[in-house]
Amino acid sequence: MADDHGVTPQSEDFSAWYNELVAKAQLVDRGPAKGTMVIRPYGYRLWELLQGELDRRIKDTGHENAYFPLLIPESYLRREAQHVEGFSPELAVVTHAGGKELEEPLVVRPTSETVIGEMMARWISSHRDLPLLLNQWANVVRWELRPRMFLRTTEFLWQEGHTAHADAADAMRETMLALDLYTEVARDIAAIPVVAGEKTAGERFAGAVRTFTIEGMMRDGKALQAGTSHYMGTNFAAAFDIHYTSAAGRLELCHTTSWGMSTRMIGGVIMTHGDDKGLVLPPRLAPYQVVIVPIGRGEQGERTLAAARDLAARLTAAGVRAHVDDRAQLSPGFRFNDWELRGVPIRLELGPRDLESDTVVMARRLGEEGKQSLPLAAVPASMPGILAEFQEFLLRRATAFRDERTTPVGTWESFTAAVGSGWALALHCGKPSCEDDIKARAAATPRCVPLDGAAETGTCVRCGEPSAYGKRVVFGRSY
Ligand SMILES: [Zn+2]
């Protein structure tokens, strides 16, 4: 590991690969308090780009951003029984402040249904106030005993949508709209071909009537839940008195939803596309889409550096995020390895001989093409197309990988084999006790009942009782 760009190969130890990579690629560092994460500028830029794409779609569909307090009275969480039961083990509670013990402890928000529910009750009185469509960008705290950067940290960043509606049909439309936004952002921006579906009862959000999810397959075959959308029915409305007067003058309970996507998605990007050389970033999320490495020493180096800066300016004008690596004290090989580790989609190498022939050498981070020499003048105009192709290539590659490792199974033997390297598509009886049995024996859980699954009935892959759901369920090991 002469230049410190090496990471443990994925095939040797996927988890070590991940942990080494997030640090060496300068995405994150460990925070001083256990389980906390410092997001470094390169990692934060990734998050900002994802956030920008999602925020635009949230606003375009009629939602407004607001901000609610970090500290929530503990009693609020108790008002919805299932909600408090689900979150209790993960809560951080403030008992002392201002030098004395508080009369009522304050919870550091693990999610904001309760405090937002309290405000909705104040703000909604008539059917004309509905639907109320809110979104919040915030940090939340869920105490984590086994932290993994981006995937499970005590504090993380996310958005949480919270909406109130006049009836179940409108709230369900909203629940599915949010799921569609997540599917689109995952597929079109992060190049993650997720499966959208409904969680089984045992995997439902605490307090929800129905929970929907998008699930991506990581390169070790495990599933990552990358976003969830919940229909709460009137559970939270009843707990927080969220009522409205209907057009007919009757007092009715609202139907509410909530939905969230978090910094966990960055972990999904790393594990969907990364390889033994490091990160592979989809162009639409890459802080630098193109890095230009000028080569040469002394007077030659000055000329290639000037040409690299000129090229970067022209790329920027063409809407490309370009960066010049002017670290002349480091060898070209070191710099190439560094940008491969950090996942930059396109590297342009500019040496004295390239300059003489008005060309530049292009290397893609992945693919069969190998290095190519391009006419320097044409690079800015062709780069958006090259980046779009690379983005599509990543999605195709991830889709092929997922499809190869997704197996319809009919026997328990084939089930356990399938979840050892990917996902099993199996008929299931829907009983929580049978899910528990499967989890205990195969370490696999139902990830979702896919929305687009074909109709099929038969018997449960584990217990042989009649299948529920009318279609196959995706089972897998998960993060
Ligand atoms: Zn069963």
Side-chain angles (χ1 to χ4, degrees):
M1 233 183 266
D3 61 8
D4 201 34
H5 288 123
V7 284
T8 301
Q10 288 183 339
S11 56
E12 200 173 292
D13 185 341
F14 194 84
S15 167
W17 169 83
Y18 181 86
N19 294 336
E20 291 167 21
L21 183 54
V22 291
K24 285 192 176 179
Q26 297 177 25
L27 296 173
V28 288
D29 211 332
R30 271 179 225 283
K34 184 176 154 58
T36 59
M37 157 175 78
V38 176
I39 308 179
R40 298 183 66 177
Y42 195 61
Y44 199 77
R45 185 71 187 122
L46 246 173
W47 172 241
E48 283 182 326
L49 288 161
L50 179 73
Q51 188 184 33
E53 293 285 353
L54 188 53
D55 192 60
R56 180 168 60 75
R57 287 167 173 80
I58 289 171
K59 286 175 177 149
D60 284 351
T61 46
H63 305 84
E64 292 182 304
N65 285 340
Y67 188 79
F68 296 83
L70 171 78
L71 298 173
I72 301 175
E74 196 181 40
S75 60
Y76 277 35
L77 270 90
R78 284 201 220 98
R79 289 199 215 165
E80 214 293 332
Q82 284 179 313
H83 191 64
V84 70
E85 194 191 316
F87 278 106
S88 280
E90 302 177 316
L91 293 181
V93 185
V94 180
T95 55
H96 290 74
K100 52 185 185 186
E101 190 171 351
L102 296 173
E103 272 180 37
E104 181 181 356
L106 299 169
V107 168
V108 183
R109 64 177 162 221
T111 178
S112 304
E113 277 77 6
T114 59
V115 64
I116 294 179
E118 173 75 10
M119 294 300 135
M120 282 177 164
R122 288 193 204 173
W123 298 342
I124 297 167
S125 57
S126 152
H127 62 97
R128 283 181 292 270
D129 300 323
L130 297 173
L132 180 59
L133 307 175
L134 299 173
N135 179 62
Q136 156 166 273
W137 288 97
N139 57 341
V140 288
V141 166
R142 298 176 185 180
W143 214 253
E144 199 53 69
L145 300 176
R146 281 171 298 167
R148 297 285 304 276
M149 294 291 118
F150 291 119
L151 304 174
R152 293 185 176 279
T153 49
T154 287
E155 178 186 0
F156 59 88
L157 305 182
W158 76 347
Q159 60 70 222
E160 43 182 322
H162 293 273
T163 67
H165 305 261
D167 57 36
D170 200 48
M172 270 308 296
R173 263 197 298 281
E174 170 75 17
T175 307
M176 303 319 284
L177 172 89
L179 193 72
D180 286 346
L181 294 187
Y182 292 158
T183 305
E184 185 183 308
V185 166
R187 184 192 58 217
D188 298 348
I189 307 302
I192 303 177
V194 290
V195 172
E198 182 164 7
K199 287 287 185 191
T200 62
E203 301 278 322
R204 224 173 257 154
F205 178 76
V209 173
R210 300 181 74 177
T211 287
F212 295 84
T213 178
I214 55 167
E215 303 276 328
M217 185 190 282
M218 306 296 105
R219 290 194 69 77
D220 60 354
K222 287 192 192 170
L224 183 82
Q225 177 182 301
T228 49
S229 184
H230 315 289
Y231 167 58
M232 304 299 193
T234 54
N235 289 349
F236 281 87
F240 288 88
D241 297 321
I242 314 172
H243 289 97
Y244 69 98
T245 309
S246 73
R250 276 195 305 274
L251 196 62
E252 307 271 5
L253 276 176
C254 288
H255 292 248
T256 65
T257 82
S258 75
W259 28 279
M261 181 178 266
S262 74
T263 36
R264 181 164 232 243
M265 263 297 274
I266 297 175
V269 168
I270 297 165
M271 293 193 293
T272 299
H273 304 299
D275 64 12
D276 289 349
K277 288 183 186 169
L279 300 177
V280 177
L281 297 178
R284 296 191 71 172
L285 286 181
Y288 304 136
Q289 296 171 313
V290 175
V291 164
I292 309 167
V293 183
I295 300 164
R297 295 187 175 276
E299 196 262 336
Q300 283 188 324
E302 281 168 32
R303 278 196 296 134
T304 56
L305 177 59
R309 290 206 167 118
D310 177 62
L311 178 57
R314 288 189 295 133
L315 282 165
T316 304
V320 173
R321 291 188 289 277
H323 174 72
V324 176
D325 183 351
D326 60 3
R327 298 175 296 174
Q329 75 280 12
L330 301 173
S331 73
F334 180 97
R335 287 183 283 169
F336 298 169
N337 290 343
D338 198 33
W339 295 116
E340 286 190 344
L341 177 84
R342 299 181 77 185
V344 171
I346 304 289
R347 182 177 76 236
L348 297 175
E349 306 167 9
L350 194 54
R353 260 179 291 167
D354 303 307
L355 212 49
E356 267 167 40
S357 59
D358 285 319
T359 57
V360 65
V361 172
M362 178 174 78
R364 291 177 178 81
R365 176 59 182 81
L366 268 186
E368 304 293 310
E369 290 94 342
K371 287 192 183 183
Q372 264 177 294
S373 185
L374 302 178
L376 196 50
V379 168
S382 56
M383 195 50 70
I386 293 169
L387 290 167
E389 268 173 40
F390 189 76
Q391 177 89 25
E392 283 169 30
F393 165 74
L394 290 186
L395 180 62
R396 268 202 314 278
R397 175 175 171 265
T399 307
F401 180 86
R402 180 199 66 188
D403 292 349
E404 270 165 34
R405 291 183 180 226
T406 302
T407 317
V409 299
T411 65
W412 179 245
E413 288 65 36
S414 52
F415 180 98
T416 55
V419 298
S421 64
W423 294 348
L425 289 175
L427 292 171
H428 190 258
C429 62
K431 295 200 172 112
S433 59
C434 185
E435 281 183 13
D436 292 345
D437 185 40
I438 290 175
K439 192 175 181 180
R441 288 166 190 270
T445 49
R447 304 315 308 157
C448 69
V449 184
L451 295 177
D452 63 0
E456 190 176 341
T457 53
T459 55
C460 174
V461 71
R462 175 68 208 150
C463 70
E465 290 194 26
S467 65
Y469 314 115
K471 54 172 89 165
R472 288 176 182 263
V473 179
V474 177
F475 280 87
R477 293 175 185 158
S478 72
Y479 281 95

